[in-house]
Structures are given as C-alpha cells and as structure tokens.
Amino acid sequence: MLRIKGLTKRYRTGDLALKGIDIDVPDGQVMALIGPSGAGKSTVIRCINRLVEPTSGSITLNDTDIVKLGSADLRRMRRRMGMIFQEYALVERLSVMENVLTGRLGYVGFWQSWLRRFPQSDIDEAFRLLERVGLDHMADKRADELSGGQRQRVGICRALIQNPELLLVDEPTASLDPKTSRQIMRLIRELCSERHLSAIINIHDVMLAQMFAERIVGLRLGEIVYDGPPDKLTPAVLTSIYGEEDWSATIRKVDEEAPDEEADNVVPFEVPRPDRDRLAGLT
Amino acid sequence: MSLVVTAPRRWKKPPLIKSAWLRWILTIGAVVYLTLVFQTTPVNWTRVWEGLPRGAAFVSAFFPPDFVSRWDEIAEGIAESLWMTVVSTVVGIALSIPVGIGAAKNIAPAPVYYFCRAVLAVSRSFQEIILAIFFVKLFGFGPFAGFVTLSFATIGFYGKLLAEDIEDMDAGQAEAVRASGASWLQWINYGVQPQVMPRMIGLGLYRFDINFRESAVIGIVGGGGIGATLNTAFDRYEFDSAAAIIIVIIAIVMLCEYGSGYLRRWVQ
Amino acid sequence: MTTIPARGRTWRRRDRRTELLVWAAWLFAVALFVGCFQLISDKTIWAFVWDAPTQAGDLAVRMVPPDWLYIRTLGRPIWDTINIATIGTLIAILLAIPVAYCAARNTTPSVSIVRPIALFIIVSSRSINALIWALMLVTIIGPGVFSGIIAIALRSIGFCAKLLYEAIEEIDEGQVEAVRATGASGAQVTGYGIVPQVLPAFAGISVFRWDINIRESTVLGLVGAGGIGLELNAAITQLYWTQVSLILLVIIGTVIVSEWVSAKIRHAII
C-alpha cells in the first residue's frame, strides 16, 4: 500500500538526513518508527506528505508516486493522509469544531471554508468523531482552553475527518504525561483497527512502541537498523539503534494496564499579552 | 433513555460578540456612522482631478530630485534639526526621570503622583505642533522654541513609559535593597534603576528617532529646523527641492533607526 | 609579578580599559550636547527667552476664562477631526494588510523583489510626518478634510504594516504546517493557519493607531487639511485667546476619551 524506496533527503545545510530508506507498509498495519533524536524519523514522515521535499527516491501510495505530483494533485493526495503532530499543532485561536473541520479543507472551496459553511455531512462526521473521543460537549471551546490530552484528541479528529487511508503520527505523546500518553496511543490504535487504517508512528518511547505497534522500524543516522516485530527488540538491537546503555529496564513484557479514569492534566489558560514595546512600534 | 433524537446537529461558528443586541447595535452604529461621514465630508472631485497632474509632477520631481539649487538652506535646516534633536532628547529625558518616578504609583506619594500624572497627560495630549505654536509665541522664532517643544513632548512620552515600567517592576528585588538599610536615593539606584535601565536606554534611542522626525515639521510653525525650508519649497511649488528634502529626511531617519538598533544591541 | 597584595583586593565595576572607554563616551556625549546647545543658543534672541515667563503669565491671563459659548461652533470641526482619524485609520489598515503580507518573510511571494518594495513603502510612509503628507496633499488635491484623511492614511500604512508583518513573522509555523498537511489550498492555509494567529495583533494595532491618529489629526488643519486645527489656527492668528483655551480643553477631552476607548477595546480583544 505505502511503499518507500531509496528515500534520501539532504537539507540545504548539507546534512544528509536520510540515506536511502526502504519501507513497505501493508494495509492496516500500525508501524512504529523509533530512534534517537536526529535519526530522521520526523523527516521520513514529512517526506511522505511532502511537507519536506525529498531529495531522491520514490514514495508510492496505492501506485501513485507522491514525489512526482504537481501542487494540485499533491493537495488531493494530502487529503488521503491524516497527520497528527507532536505539539498538537491545533490552530490555538480557533474553536475545537473549527479545528476538526480544518481536516475537510481539502474537500471544500475557499469561500465555503472562509464563511465556515461546511456541508452538513462534514458537521455530522465531526460531531461523531468528537463524540468518539469524548469531546463533543467542547465543540465551541477555543483550542487553547483544552488540556494537552484533549488537544491531542482534537488533533486526532482533525486527521480522521479527512477520511484518510494512512495516518502519519509524529511524536504524539512527546508533550503528554505518561498516563495520557498511553490513553492517546490506545485511542490511535483502536481507531486504526476500527477503520482499517495503516499508520506510521514516530515515537521515542520504546515501551509505548512495543505496547501499541505491530511492527517496529529502528532508525539511526538516516538508516534503517531494525525492522521487525516488537518482541524481537533485544538489548543488542536497542544498542544498535540508540548506542550502549543498560536496556534491561526498558524491555519488559508490559501487560495492558488497568483502565484508568479520566484525569487529564489541565493546562492553565494563559492569556497571551502582546508586547508593549511591539505595540508602541518600538522594535 | 427511551428515545434517541437523531436529527442532524447543526453547527455555526459562534459569533465573536456573544450578546445579539450588542452585535446589532455595533453593526447599525457602524453603518450609520459611515453614511454620516460620507454625507458630511465634502470631496471636491473636480479639484482632486485637477490636482492629479500636479501630483504626477510631484512624483516625477523625485527623478531626479534637486539637491543643488537650495542646498545651503537644506544643509542648514537639517543641521538645525539635528542639534535640536540631540539637545532636546538629552534635556527631555533628564527631566522626565523625576517626573516618571513621581508618576509611578508604587513609589510616589499621592499628591506627587497626581501632579506628575497631570504633567504627563498635558504633554501627551497635545501634538508637538500645538506645543510648538505656543513656545514660538513665548520664545520667538527659531530653534530654541523647537528645543523646548521637543523636550516637553519627550517628557510625556518617556515619563509615562518609565512610570509604567517602574510600576511593573519586581517588588521583591526592590524590597531586598530597602531591607539592607539603603537610603531613598540608594534604593532608587540599586533597587529600581537596574530593573528598568535596559529598556529605558532602548526607548531613549527610539525617542531620538521620533524627535528627529518631529523636528522636521515644527519648522512649519516657526520652530526652527528643516520644516521651514520644506514649507517654503511647497509654497513655491518647488517640488524637486521638496523631493530632495524628503529624501534627506528619509535617509536620516533610516540611519537613525539602524544606528539605534545597533546601539541598543551593543548596550544590552 | 613582583608584589602580590596579601589582602585588600580592590573591586572595580569594570576593568581599566572599559572604564576609560566609558569615560571617553561620556566626554564625547557631553561635548556633543554642549556644542549643539551652543549652536542653538547662537540663533536665539535671549532677551525673548528671559521675557518668556512674563509673556506666559500674560497669555495665561488672557486665556482665562475660556469662551464657553464658542463650543457651539466647534461641533463640526471636532466631528471632522474624529472622521479624519477614523476613516484615515480604516483606509490605512486595509492597505497595510497586503503590504504586510508582502513584507513578512514567511508569506511574501518573492524575497528578492516584492519584499524590498514592501519594506521601502513601509519606511517612507513611516519617515514622513502626517503634517508633511498633509502639506503635500493640500497643494496637490486642495485643502479640506479629504486631504487630511489621505494624509493620515498614508502616514499610518507604514506603522500598521510594520507591526503587522512582525506579527506575521512571529506566528507558530507548526499550526500552519498542520493546516497545509490536510491538503488545504494556499488561500485556505492563510485563512485557517495565519489569519487566526495574527487577528488579535491586527485589532490591537488598528485601535492603537487610531488613538495616535486622533492626536495627529488635531493639527492637520494648520496646513489647511481640515479638522479642529483650522479653528485653532484662526483663533491664534486673530488673537482670540479665550477661544484658543477652549479649543485646547476640547482637544484634551477628545484625546483622553479616545485613549480610554482604545484601552477598553484593546482590553476586550486581548
């Protein structure tokens, strides 16, 4: 379904971030991409929807080569790939509903979206998704009023309302506490199996990757050093990915933890104050 | 739960202003205001139309501007503007320090506070030109009136920002200095000054910019500087000389801006 | 090293070199100040200056009490002044939006051509005082409120565009990227990713500039561009000091009210 072949990326600074990556992701597979920071995980994901332009190689989704698409086709292609971000990347000053509907932008015209006149079917689907993640009562709250876990769930809704075939997930738990992290990962996993979606999940937390992914790809310095099932992740493998360290505490057969109650950490609502100097034109 | 209503849930973007009547009042008010403005603002379109060639002449005067024929006057006016700017910025800031300290609620006693606030309000309410008219009346034509004007205007600007800065400062630090048994002046010097200093230096340089820009216009009412020359050039329809003056002003303002940006980075 | 002081280590705020430099800078600054003041004083008739306090007292006496009845003729000039500021600001912000869009590094269509042009527009608009704009416009399109409006607008474009483009450059690119990742078109990315982020700054800037413009528009009449400045000029030239004092009071009132309104609105937005 998704096939990456010989993907390389050289940044303008000259850094070779990816050195010829080959990955095949079959339909419905949830794959975790692990590796130290700077290994190129984020670059892989961003090359797939071309937020970062690949230098060479091919990426085909259902036999369409994404790398060769023109801008209009690329936009159509992006609709088929939902992306979930590390810092949620919600548009902070828009409401939850508007953020979810952002996922439909590829399907509606400019004026329709500017005037917020989305088709009723989109609205219905948005409410359905928000209900699924338990946030439908917050539809008209502004995104910056939500806690971290809630924001990430809105981010998931935004990705899913695109009706994607593939989810690109970039460090979904990096800014969340451990418990919320698990809830979010479980939610992503469940949604993938409900909708038979494939997903590529960048994650630095090896334990979470083992718990929730069917397959793990280890990346180091732009090269794949491991590709296999989670239970084959031995200390030797981890050493080859991350370098020498005592891994015995990290690799543990983790049982699904007991279902926990809803207890999101509430982020204090900060009022952004414009800088006085800036307003006075003093810069 | 016996019955589940499955009517489609409508969604509309929640309005910016929650109360409906306030929204209507504002909309209607804006429409009424705009119509009134358009009805009461006479625009003499034939005059505007006739003016367009003159506008074109003015624009073409920039290619090339005439620096030569009035160079002596331009040079003198610019020099005068610059002196005025230097002197009035220094004097204005020096005077605004006591006023600013007096206008900070957290360190000044009430009567001083109200007096200083009143000074600031007066200085800030009047545009430099209005002040200049009066000072020209009092001190006669020439750069002295301009200097007094700009100094007074600087007090309003700088004093207010200084007062706000002092009011915003971290009370803990200042308290610690006072606790060491410092006198009032020592307290200002050690507890308050270090906190407000970096920003105030930047603002001082910025005020220098503003004073130069203003010094270019107070000449129009007789306050000395390049403004008088510019006014004469316009009166005589010498657009190419006017263009030259404007270019010089823009160049100096840009120079000031870059220079002060550089200085600020160096100081902080 | 021959002698090492056993105790009594001296402490200095700066080392010797820096200290010398600081002293030199101070000396230069003082010399510059004194020199400039000397030049001004050469051009000053000091007799007038010494006479000024008497003059001021005299003027103050002649200005009291204000000619309260004169307020009846001031309605229209005040209305014009407010209109000049408001409509001028409105035009300015409408024109400032595209200029700022072109000037911001992250939204400009071309860094090498369009951006320098936009920056040039901003600089020249900012450098030239509203009164100079008015002076030009009065000779070009004739005296009146219209010239005042355009003068205020031209002066404010640079100010608004500068603050606005800085706000655009400071937005969170992550949010923009997220909108782009959904397959949104360029216009939609602007509408959903950028506009919501800069909207509060935009509103704040507009109101702030409006407040400044009220003040600026009080003087445009001096060069014939309409508003209360016309009355002020007339009253001063005819030496009707009681009218002058009333006009000044009215100006203070207007400015204070506008400052209050602008503070309220900014508070409500933020």
Side-chain angles (χ1 to χ4, degrees), chain C residues 107-189:
Chain C
T107 52
T108 181
S110 110
V111 180
S112 51
I113 304 167
V114 180
R115 184 161 191 266
I117 295 175
L119 289 179
F120 177 74
I121 294 175
I122 291 174
V123 168
S124 31
S125 153
R126 269 162 57 79
S127 308
I128 301 174
N129 199 290
L131 203 64
I132 298 182
W133 283 115
L135 205 62
M136 282 190 236
L137 288 162
V138 167
T139 45
I140 293 172
I141 58 175
V145 175
F146 188 62
S147 292
I149 291 176
I150 304 293
I152 288 288
L154 288 174
R155 168 72 179 88
S156 311
I157 290 174
F159 180 93
C160 297
K162 177 169 192 269
L163 293 182
L164 192 56
Y165 97 72
E166 284 168 355
I168 297 178
E169 283 183 352
E170 277 167 27
I171 57 171
D172 174 11
E173 281 295 329
Q175 301 178 27
V176 181
E177 196 181 41
V179 176
R180 187 171 297 130
T182 64
S185 68
Q188 284 173 327
V189 172

Side-chain angles (χ1 to χ4, degrees), chain A residues 40-61:
Chain A
K41 305 186 300 264
S42 192
T43 310
V44 172
I45 282 211
R46 282 176 163 71
C47 278
I48 295 173
N49 62 4
R50 272 174 62 190
L51 287 175
V52 166
E53 287 295 331
T55 309
S56 68
S58 75
I59 303 167
T60 49
L61 183 67

Side-chain angles (χ1 to χ4, degrees), chain B residues 56-80:
Chain B
F58 179 69
V59 172
S60 64
F62 278 91
F63 309 99
D66 179 6
F67 287 97
V68 185
S69 53
R70 302 223 166 258
W71 178 247
D72 290 345
E73 286 156 58
I74 296 175
E76 205 190 320
I78 289 283
E80 211 170 271

Side-chain angles (χ1 to χ4, degrees), chain B residues 96-172:
Chain B
S96 63
I97 290 171
V99 179
I101 292 175
K105 203 167 201 163
N106 51 349
I107 56 177
V112 178
Y113 170 77
Y114 287 113
F115 174 74
C116 291
R117 280 284 161 177
V119 172
L120 293 183
V122 170
S123 155
R124 283 165 49 72
S125 295
F126 294 120
Q127 233 274 339
E128 279 84 344
I129 304 294
I130 296 182
L131 296 172
I133 294 175
F134 280 89
F135 289 127
V136 168
K137 279 260 179 274
L138 294 181
F139 299 110
F141 288 100
F144 192 85
F147 146 67
V148 177
T149 307
L150 292 179
S151 303
F152 190 62
T154 304
I155 294 176
F157 172 89
Y158 201 79
K160 176 163 188 264
L161 291 171
L162 178 65
E164 280 174 0
D165 231 32
I166 295 177
E167 283 172 357
D168 285 351
M169 76 179 180
D170 174 14

Side-chain angles (χ1 to χ4, degrees), chain C:
Chain C
M1 283 275 209
T2 45
T3 52
I4 298 163
R7 59 204 160 75
R9 257 171 84 185
T10 53
W11 172 81
R12 273 171 212 240
R13 214 166 139 195
R14 308 180 172 96
D15 65 49
R16 192 165 213 101
R17 218 182 112 77
T18 335
E19 204 155 86
L20 274 174
L21 263 171
V22 169
W23 274 109
W26 273 110
L27 193 69
F28 173 74
V30 172
L32 182 72
F33 174 75
V34 172
C36 288
F37 192 81
Q38 194 59 45
L39 289 166
I40 291 180
S41 115
D42 287 349
K43 288 205 167 189
T44 308
I45 303 166
W46 285 96
F48 281 172
V49 176
W50 301 131
D51 192 33
T54 340
Q55 289 277 333
D58 192 32
L59 204 58
V61 170
R62 271 188 279 169
M63 283 169 87
V64 188
D67 180 1
W68 296 111
L69 291 180
Y70 182 53
I71 192 90
R72 284 175 301 187
T73 40
L74 282 184
R76 183 61 195 264
I78 282 289
W79 170 250
D80 282 346
T81 303
I82 293 172
N83 291 346
I84 291 174
T86 311
I87 307 296
T89 313
L90 221 58
I91 296 175
I93 52 182
L94 289 180
L95 294 175
I97 293 169
V99 174
Y101 188 84
C102 292
R105 217 176 274 280
N106 46 354
T107 52
T108 181
S110 110
V111 180
S112 51
I113 304 167
V114 180
R115 184 161 191 266
I117 295 175
L119 289 179
F120 177 74
I121 294 175
I122 291 174
V123 168
S124 31
S125 153
R126 269 162 57 79
S127 308
I128 301 174
N129 199 290
L131 203 64
I132 298 182
W133 283 115
L135 205 62
M136 282 190 236
L137 288 162
V138 167
T139 45
I140 293 172
I141 58 175
V145 175
F146 188 62
S147 292
I149 291 176
I150 304 293
I152 288 288
L154 288 174
R155 168 72 179 88
S156 311
I157 290 174
F159 180 93
C160 297
K162 177 169 192 269
L163 293 182
L164 192 56
Y165 97 72
E166 284 168 355
I168 297 178
E169 283 183 352
E170 277 167 27
I171 57 171
D172 174 11
E173 281 295 329
Q175 301 178 27
V176 181
E177 196 181 41
V179 176
R180 187 171 297 130
T182 64
S185 68
Q188 284 173 327
V189 172
T190 308
Y192 273 72
I194 297 175
V195 171
Q197 290 196 59
V198 297
L199 212 53
F202 175 72
I205 293 164
S206 318
V207 179
F208 185 63
R209 186 66 217 184
W210 174 76
D211 182 19
I212 297 177
N213 282 344
I214 290 273
R215 221 165 301 205
E216 301 251 301
S217 59
T218 55
V219 296
L220 295 179
L222 296 175
V223 295
I228 198 161
L230 279 173
E231 301 297 318
L232 182 64
N233 203 19
I236 289 177
T237 44
Q238 294 163 6
L239 306 177
Y240 291 154
W241 294 107
T242 49
Q243 294 187 354
V244 172
S245 56
L246 184 73
I247 295 175
L248 294 184
L249 286 178
V250 167
I251 290 179
I252 291 196
T254 316
V255 168
I256 288 175
V257 169
S258 78
E259 202 160 272
W260 180 81
V261 169
S262 120
K264 275 275 169 230
I265 297 180
R266 264 186 290 167
H267 194 77
I269 296 167
I270 300 156

Side-chain angles (χ1 to χ4, degrees), chain B residues 222-235:
Chain B
I226 188 72
T229 325
L230 186 63
N231 199 11
T232 328
F234 274 114
D235 280 350

Side-chain angles (χ1 to χ4, degrees), chain A residues 264-275:
Chain A
D264 273 339
N265 55 323
V266 176
V267 179
F269 171 42
E270 275 177 41
V271 184
R273 283 172 63 95
D275 191 346

